[in-house]
Amino acid sequence: MDASTQETVPESLAPSGALDGKLVQGIAWTGGVKWSTQIVAWAATLFVARVLSPDDYGLVGMATVYLGLVTMLSEFGIGTTIITLRDLTTREIAQLNGFSILLGLGGFALSCLAAAPIGAFFRSARLPLVVVAMSTTFIISSFQSVPSALLQRDLRFKLISLIDGTKTMVLALATVLFALGGLRYWTLVLGAILSALISTTLTLCIRRHAFAMPQFKTLSCSLRFSWHVLISRLSWYAYSNSDFVVSGRVLGQLALGAYSVAWNLANVPVEKITGVLNGVTPALFSAVQKEKAELRRYLLNLTEAIALLTLPLSIGLGLVTSDFVTVLLGQKWSIAVTPLRFLAFYVTVRSITPLLPIVLNVVGESRFNMWNSIGMAIVLPAGFLFGSRWGNAGIAAAWMIAYPVAAIPMYWRAFRKIELPWGVYLNVLGPSALGSLFMAATVLILQRTGLSTSRPEVRLIATIIAGAVAYILVAGGLNFRRRKNLARILRVLRTA
């Protein structure tokens, strides 16, 4: 093990080279655009949730369970392959581009055949038409897979973020208009189609690539890697959506609608934060895939940054769930309170794990990723089925209990491959964990003393403010070393 792994405190995220500058600029552009548009997106989401019913969300949720699976098949891991395998020729990329179109057409055809059986499975006469309509996104998005991956590989994060921001703003306005027009569940269906159209059109306006008929002998190495990525994603999709299947099949459409909203509320805020970094890191890690010291440095610093933002959000949401749902969504969504609380606590672990599969892929461990995902696809659905005895709350509790245990092999393998001691990794989580602990104590004390009889609106605002102050004071004080690099980071941003 080299000397750099003996550090008790990792290097800080100071832009010391070209890649550091690209990272900071990528985060700045991606985060700036995402969060400047997120207020509008969240306002639109909450407005649409108040107009639509749990039944509307449940119907589209049933379609989404199937469509997400076919989306994985139609993409086939091509984007990740192009980003990770940096020695692909122009001809090979063109063949992958042609293969992407064939997969998109195949996905749509498969959906047309499967629509009626899916409707029968979920006992919904309206579902087949929804499945067919939403399946048009397979064809639309197939034209985008390769150009979008090339933009990421070339580290053109500014353009990628502007595409995403434009899509978010247009989609937010459109879904509000659809909901006001009384389209009910078609609001969500048309929103999915419009999202694919906007993203694909803007991407092709900026970056295109030639097409060629795929020759599978030529693409054998890249398709083997793609196969590992595909099986990993299919397994991930199986276990991450089996809770929706169990809720819809065992508990019914109304329960699935409530669970879908609880899932989105717990995960979407954190996904917007981790999405900023996950949109940047695959290309970055690929660029340093042969340098263990750099992989360790980026993994530690990015994990610390994610934890500082996501832990207080997810833990805080779990503490104020009842008031949050009552104030923002209304009493009709009270059935989502308990599952939302459990899911919020599960997200504290889930938020810091997405970087590990990326590390494993770039160091040649895509096969391990595949088998680890297959194992999780066996264990977690069994937990959801058992937990359904206690309704949606039991399904959400299964996430909270089983997922951290199932993620241990992935941590072990990644740390061994890049020679990272557990103590060093846990050290970077210290400020966010301790700050969240003090935040939780502050919120619980307020809820059980002076604010216990206050109106939900007052109690929610007061606990959020008090919890945020407690977290900032503790986590900020412990993490003072970050502030020393702020001036240098800002200098990099000025050149973006």
Side-chain angles (χ1 to χ4, degrees):
M1 185 180 300
D2 59 46
S4 62
T5 62
Q6 304 299 325
E7 302 169 355
T8 57
V9 178
E11 299 173 47
S12 59
L13 185 56
S16 56
L19 279 178
D20 288 50
K22 287 288 187 180
L23 171 63
V24 174
Q25 292 174 17
I27 292 173
W29 271 105
T30 306
V33 172
K34 278 185 179 291
W35 285 102
S36 63
T37 58
Q38 192 56 41
I39 296 176
V40 176
W42 258 90
T45 299
L46 293 173
F47 177 84
V48 171
R50 295 185 74 96
V51 174
L52 303 185
S53 68
D55 186 71
D56 294 326
Y57 278 90
L59 178 64
V60 176
M62 290 175 178
T64 303
V65 169
Y66 161 78
L67 293 171
L69 175 64
V70 181
T71 299
M72 298 288 182
L73 288 170
S74 62
E75 205 277 333
F76 203 78
I78 290 175
T80 302
T81 300
I82 290 175
I83 293 171
T84 306
L85 305 183
R86 305 181 71 86
D87 56 350
L88 291 172
T89 66
T90 301
R91 181 65 178 173
E92 289 171 333
I93 294 174
Q95 292 182 37
L96 289 172
N97 204 12
F99 188 44
S100 177
I101 305 301
L102 294 177
L103 289 170
L105 292 170
F108 178 75
L110 177 63
S111 295
C112 291
L113 294 174
I118 293 169
F121 176 80
F122 282 107
R123 306 187 188 102
S124 175
R126 297 174 296 175
L127 188 55
L129 185 56
V130 170
V131 169
V132 172
M134 295 182 70
S135 295
T136 58
T137 60
F138 299 146
I139 300 175
I140 298 169
S141 298
S142 67
F143 288 89
Q144 177 193 359
S145 295
V146 169
S148 180
L150 290 171
L151 287 176
Q152 292 185 60
R153 192 178 72 170
D154 296 340
L155 307 179
R156 301 183 69 181
F157 301 121
K158 177 180 177 180
L159 291 174
I160 295 171
S161 62
L162 291 175
I163 291 172
D164 186 64
T166 302
K167 179 185 71 175
T168 300
M169 295 296 289
V170 175
L171 192 60
L173 176 61
T175 52
V176 168
L177 294 176
F178 294 155
L180 288 175
L183 296 181
R184 294 190 58 195
Y185 58 87
W186 285 107
T187 295
L188 306 176
V189 174
L190 294 176
I193 298 172
L194 182 61
S195 176
L197 278 171
I198 296 171
S199 182
T200 299
T201 301
L202 293 177
T203 300
L204 292 178
C205 287
I206 296 171
R207 184 70 158 89
R208 300 180 188 177
H209 199 280
F211 298 93
M213 285 299 296
Q215 299 176 5
F216 297 105
K217 184 177 180 180
T218 303
L219 297 176
S220 59
C221 291
S222 57
L223 290 180
R224 186 182 305 112
F225 179 87
S226 295
W227 175 253
H228 292 163
V229 173
L230 172 64
I231 298 301
S232 297
R233 289 181 176 178
L234 289 175
S235 300
W236 167 83
Y237 190 80
Y239 71 73
S240 63
N241 285 279
S242 57
D243 53 343
F244 291 95
V245 175
V246 170
S247 180
R249 180 66 175 172
V250 176
L251 305 177
Q253 185 168 315
L254 178 63
L256 176 58
Y259 185 83
S260 297
V261 169
W263 175 270
N264 287 332
L265 289 174
N267 283 270
V268 168
V270 170
E271 285 177 352
K272 293 302 179 181
I273 293 174
T274 57
V276 171
L277 295 176
N278 292 340
V280 174
T281 50
L284 179 78
F285 284 4
S286 175
V288 296
Q289 58 189 243
K290 297 181 180 179
E291 303 174 39
K292 292 181 180 180
E294 287 299 287
L295 283 172
R296 288 194 299 270
R297 185 168 72 91
Y298 284 126
L299 174 62
L300 290 170
N301 284 286
L302 292 172
T303 298
E304 182 176 18
I306 292 172
L308 284 169
L309 294 172
T310 60
L311 261 62
L313 281 179
S314 55
I315 293 175
L317 178 59
L319 295 170
V320 302
T321 305
S322 181
D323 291 335
F324 181 86
V325 170
T326 300
V327 172
L328 294 182
L329 295 182
Q331 195 61 38
K332 69 178 180 180
W333 290 100
S334 60
I335 55 176
V337 169
T338 304
L340 173 57
R341 181 175 291 117
F342 288 137
L343 288 171
F345 291 130
Y346 141 73
V347 167
T348 60
V349 176
R350 183 245 182 186
S351 64
I352 58 175
T353 57
L355 295 177
L356 297 174
I358 301 174
V359 171
L360 287 169
N361 276 339
V362 301
V363 297
E365 290 291 331
S366 58
R367 189 170 182 272
F368 175 86
N369 262 346
M370 178 183 70
W371 285 110
N372 185 70
S373 296
I374 291 173
M376 295 178 80
I378 296 172
V379 173
L380 290 172
F384 303 144
L385 187 60
F386 178 78
S388 66
R389 299 180 180 185
W390 295 272
N392 281 335
I395 296 173
W399 271 118
M400 184 179 68
I401 296 169
Y403 182 81
V405 177
I408 291 176
M410 184 168 54
Y411 274 93
W412 173 80
R413 187 73 165 213
F415 288 1
R416 193 183 75 167
K417 292 299 294 185
I418 64 173
E419 301 175 2
L420 174 62
W422 279 87
V424 175
Y425 183 83
L426 294 175
N427 180 71
V428 302
L429 298 177
S432 55
L434 191 57
S436 296
L437 180 63
F438 273 83
M439 176 193 71
T442 302
V443 170
L444 291 173
I445 291 172
L446 284 175
Q447 288 177 335
R448 285 163 173 72
T449 55
L451 294 176
S452 59
T453 59
S454 301
R455 294 176 56 187
E457 297 87 348
V458 175
R459 189 165 55 241
L460 179 62
I461 294 173
T463 51
I464 288 176
I465 293 174
V469 170
Y471 177 79
I472 292 171
L473 288 176
V474 175
L478 291 173
N479 212 40
F480 67 92
R481 62 191 178 83
R482 285 279 185 213
R483 297 196 295 269
K484 296 189 299 182
N485 298 297
L486 181 59
R488 280 181 289 175
I489 290 175
L490 290 176
R491 283 199 298 270
V492 173
L493 294 180
R494 284 198 294 268
T495 67

